[in-house]
Amino acid sequence: RQHHVLSELGIQPDATSGPVTDFRDVSNLSTAPFPRLDRGGERRAEEGCSVYNNLGDQARGLVRAAEGMALRHGHQPFTPEHILRALLDDPEGLAADLIARAGGRLDEVAAGLALAIERMPKLAPATARVLGTAESLARKAGDSLVGAEQLLLAIVVERDSEASRLLSGAGITPAGLDRAIGEILAVRAA
């Protein structure tokens, strides 16, 4: 049955029934039809829906738990590791049971997963640089707290993000934005 389900998904397991060796292109994952099992166990695909909308109630709850876990740990994206942790934390224990029945070492998975989640960066490097730059800009301006204007200026100054490229492409320069900030602050002070 496992080989049948995998082949329906276009995945070919290796000859020893070990890990999947065919990694598919998932670049269109959010818009691709998402195969599901109906109540009778038959596979079906729902066209035109995002993967998230095609999740069953339990799976949707688990993904939400993974998103919440990522947020609680300060991780920007939620990852497959967060989803696996949510699956293992599920009180129904389906994932843990499946791992055990498949011959996996659940304690090894749980320990490795805890380390992997702990090692995840709290912020993307570009985000950390933007926040650090914004803090420096606020201090130079004599502010004890970072304001929206420092965040915006820091995005423009730190050029390694798509946000910075968008602003630059729209004609925003650090000098021009700094001048505009000065003008607005002068008007507010008057």
Side-chain angles (χ1 to χ4, degrees), residues 84-85 88-89 95-116:
L84 180 56
R85 179 77 265 162
L88 295 178
D89 288 346
D97 186 43
L98 289 170
I99 289 169
R101 286 177 185 253
R105 294 179 297 282
L106 187 58
D107 55 342
E108 194 175 308
V109 171
L113 187 59
L115 286 173

Side-chain angles (χ1 to χ4, degrees), residues 76 123-132:
Q76 284 190 325
L123 293 173
T127 304
R129 283 189 295 277
V130 163
L131 293 175

Side-chain angles (χ1 to χ4, degrees), residues 5-188:
V5 170
L6 292 175
S7 64
E8 283 182 12
L9 292 173
I11 301 170
Q12 299 301 318
D14 66 13
T16 62
S17 298
V20 173
T21 56
D22 177 27
F23 298 98
R24 298 172 290 149
D25 175 19
V26 293
S27 59
N28 293 327
L29 189 60
S30 64
T31 58
F34 189 69
R36 296 183 57 191
L37 294 177
D38 65 17
R39 292 191 184 261
E42 295 297 315
R43 297 199 73 73
R44 61 189 168 90
E46 295 182 13
E47 300 289 338
C49 295
S50 73
V51 170
Y52 188 80
N53 290 336
N54 283 311
L55 296 175
D57 291 340
Q58 181 184 18
R60 185 175 292 120
L62 289 165
V63 168
R64 284 189 180 140
E67 290 172 323
M69 182 187 324
L71 288 173
R72 284 190 306 280
H73 283 90
H75 302 147
Q76 284 190 325
F78 83 99
T79 65
E81 292 79 10
H82 295 108
I83 295 171
L84 180 56
R85 179 77 265 162
L87 285 164
L88 295 178
D89 288 346
D90 183 26
E92 291 185 23
L94 177 63
D97 186 43
L98 289 170
I99 289 169
R101 286 177 185 253
R105 294 179 297 282
L106 187 58
D107 55 342
E108 194 175 308
V109 171
L113 187 59
L115 286 173
I117 289 173
E118 185 178 309
R119 286 191 299 239
M120 286 181 182
K122 301 297 183 202
L123 293 173
T127 304
R129 283 189 295 277
V130 163
L131 293 175
T133 299
E135 193 172 47
S136 294
L137 292 167
R139 268 184 280 155
K140 285 179 184 175
D143 297 331
S144 59
L145 298 174
V146 173
E149 66 277 9
Q150 284 105 8
L151 284 172
L152 183 59
L153 185 54
I155 291 170
V156 173
V157 168
E158 294 297 332
R159 300 175 186 262
D160 59 345
S161 72
E162 184 64 23
S164 180
R165 288 185 285 279
L166 288 168
L167 290 166
S168 177
I172 306 299
T173 65
L177 185 57
D178 189 46
R179 183 183 36 75
I181 290 169
E183 290 170 5
I184 287 178
L185 293 177
V187 169
R188 286 185 185 169

